[in-house]
């Protein structure tokens, strides 16, 4: 697989998001053996960037990866995230990027992952109660101690990125980016390129919608967070099915799958972008990594770029409040 650079960090240009193995999607946490096989198959196919977070589970996803990567840790650029768990009493799903909380978080992540260092440590969401300069300084101290190698931000806006980068270099920014979520293109991506910061798109397949396999919300069980996601409900769902069908049409023309086409479009946006499609199945990781070999024609790229926007917000109202753009 081809490699790209996020700042000065070299990674495979297609990574693996591990969240769905433990959290959030239909069937999460029900087949650890298949999840472990998926991680191993990804490594065999040349994937080096694997992404998790302490909030996934919470904690169980990091524990799973710790078991899956035993004996193969040196093959992986391992990324995890802090800041959506307050370790000082408020618990999970409470923003806290204070220096003391970060120190507690990193020790827990290192233990669960079974490693002595984290390659890429992201602030999961910007904490409005902690100046980003304090957060960047705290991660910088962890880097000086060797517990962390690189500093990242997730869903941060331009001002936060610039201020953080002034305190300690930011290697990568993780944000939702796909054919139907393109908000980073106007203000965030130009800044990242100005500062030599890489972009790591999560949900590059639109939480599965762009694969063409989702035709009804009835496919989701009660634990699946997509049941409440605005893009998967009512008229929005019906509108967005048409977008998925357009991707499928290009895929048929290109001799690829819709997932591969959606990923190939992202890969064509630059040599500083490494999407992390998530899966818990070997067959899906094989399909996704196959996008590395898909070359779309200029006409196909133009057709995809010109698709109309998706209907509905990418998150619920409460989740939207945690995002910067």
């Amino acid at each position: 697989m081809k490699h790209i650079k996020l700042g000065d960090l070299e990674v495979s240009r297609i990574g693996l998001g591990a969240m769905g193995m433990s959290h959030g999607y239909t069937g999460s946490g029900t087949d650890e053996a298949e999840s472990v096989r998926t991680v191993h198959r990804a490594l065999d196919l040349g994937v080096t960037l694997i992404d998790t977070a302490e909030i996934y589970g919470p904690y169980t996803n990091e524990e799973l990866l710790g078991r899956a990567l035993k004996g193969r840790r040196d093959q992986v650029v391992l990324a995890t995230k802090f800041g959506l768990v307050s370790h000082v009493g408020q618990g999970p799903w409470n923003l806290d990027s204070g220096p003391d909380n970060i120190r507690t978080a990193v020790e827990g992540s290192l233990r669960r992952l079974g490693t002595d260092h984290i390659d890429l440590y992201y602030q999961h969401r910007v904490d409005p109660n902690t100046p980003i300069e304090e957060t960047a300084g705290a991660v910088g101290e962890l880097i000086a101690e060797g517990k962390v190698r690189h500093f990242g931000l997730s869903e941060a806006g331009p001002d936060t990125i610039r201020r953080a980068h002034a305190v300690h270099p930011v290697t990568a920014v993780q944000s939702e980016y796909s054919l139907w979520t393109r908000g980073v293109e106007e203000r965030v991506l130009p800044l990242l390129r100005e500062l030599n910061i890489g972009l790591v798109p999560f949900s590059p397949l639109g939480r599965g919608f762009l694969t063409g396999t989702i035709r009804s919300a009835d496919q989701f069980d009660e634990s699946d967070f997509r049941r409440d996601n605005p893009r998967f409900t009512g008229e929005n769902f019906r509108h967005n099915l048409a977008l998925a069908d357009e991707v499928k049409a290009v895929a048929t023309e290109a001799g690829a799958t819709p997932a591969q086409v959606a990923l190939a479009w992202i890969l064509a946006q630059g040599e500083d972008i490494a999407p992390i499609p998530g899966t818990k199945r070997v067959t899906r990781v094989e399909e996704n990594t196959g996008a590395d070999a898909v070359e779309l024609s200029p006409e196909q790229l133009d057709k995809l770029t010109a698709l109309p926007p998706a209907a509905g917000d990418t998150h619920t109202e409460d989740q939207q409040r945690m995002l910067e753009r």
Side-chain angles (χ1 to χ4, degrees), residues 22 32 36 52-54 56-70 80 108-109 111-114:
S22 308
E32 176 169 324
V36 170
T52 183
E54 64 173 0
Y56 299 158
Y59 312 127
T60 53
N61 197 239
E62 289 185 327
E63 292 168 348
L64 170 64
L65 280 185
R67 293 188 290 271
L69 294 175
K70 193 170 184 179
T80 191
S109 290
R111 182 180 66 256
R112 289 185 291 271
L113 291 165

Side-chain angles (χ1 to χ4, degrees), residues 163-186:
R163 287 166 53 203
H165 192 72
V167 174
H168 193 281
V170 176
T171 295
V173 169
Q174 182 174 133
S175 285
E176 185 169 355
Y177 183 43
S178 70
L179 275 168
W180 75 345
T181 304
R182 306 208 9 218
V184 299
E185 291 179 342
E186 182 177 354

Side-chain angles (χ1 to χ4, degrees), residues 12-131:
S12 57
R13 69 170 183 163
I14 300 173
L16 172 63
M19 182 189 82
M21 297 176 181
S22 308
H23 171 88
Y25 291 99
T26 296
S28 294
T30 60
D31 193 343
E32 176 169 324
E34 177 67 5
S35 292
V36 170
R37 285 192 292 270
T38 299
V39 172
H40 291 170
R41 184 63 177 139
L43 297 180
D44 293 342
L45 290 167
V47 171
T48 65
L49 178 61
I50 297 184
D51 182 272
T52 183
E54 64 173 0
I55 193 63
Y56 299 158
Y59 312 127
T60 53
N61 197 239
E62 289 185 327
E63 292 168 348
L64 170 64
L65 280 185
R67 293 188 290 271
L69 294 175
K70 193 170 184 179
R72 304 188 71 171
R73 172 67 181 90
D74 60 352
Q75 295 178 244
V76 177
V77 174
L78 187 54
T80 191
K81 311 179 200 71
F82 65 88
L84 273 178
V85 179
S86 173
H87 295 278
V88 293
Q90 293 177 299
W93 302 109
N94 286 281
L95 293 169
D96 190 342
S97 287
D100 291 343
N101 198 63
I102 294 172
R103 288 220 162 250
T104 302
V106 77
E107 295 301 334
S109 290
L110 290 169
R111 182 180 66 256
R112 289 185 291 271
L113 291 165
T115 186
D116 64 354
H117 72 279
I118 294 162
D119 295 299
L120 180 54
Y121 202 35
Y122 293 101
Q123 180 193 43
H124 206 154
R125 291 290 185 270
V126 176
D127 175 9
N129 298 313
T130 304

Side-chain angles (χ1 to χ4, degrees), residues 19-20 23-28 180 203 205-211 213-214 216-234 237 278 280-281 314 316 319:
M19 182 189 82
H23 171 88
Y25 291 99
T26 296
S28 294
W180 75 345
S203 297
L205 301 177
R207 299 183 174 87
F209 213 126
L210 297 175
T211 67
T213 61
I214 297 171
S216 168
D218 292 338
Q219 293 173 235
F220 308 142
D221 68 25
E222 291 298 327
S223 68
D224 197 311
F225 77 107
R226 290 173 293 185
R227 291 182 69 90
D228 297 323
N229 185 286
R231 292 194 172 179
F232 289 81
T233 57
F237 188 94
K280 54 184 178 290
R281 297 186 180 93
T314 58
T316 64
Q319 293 164 340

Side-chain angles (χ1 to χ4, degrees), residues 296-309:
L296 299 173
S297 70
E299 293 76 18
Q300 290 165 342
L301 288 169
D302 288 345
K303 187 181 296 185
L304 293 167
T305 300
L307 287 174

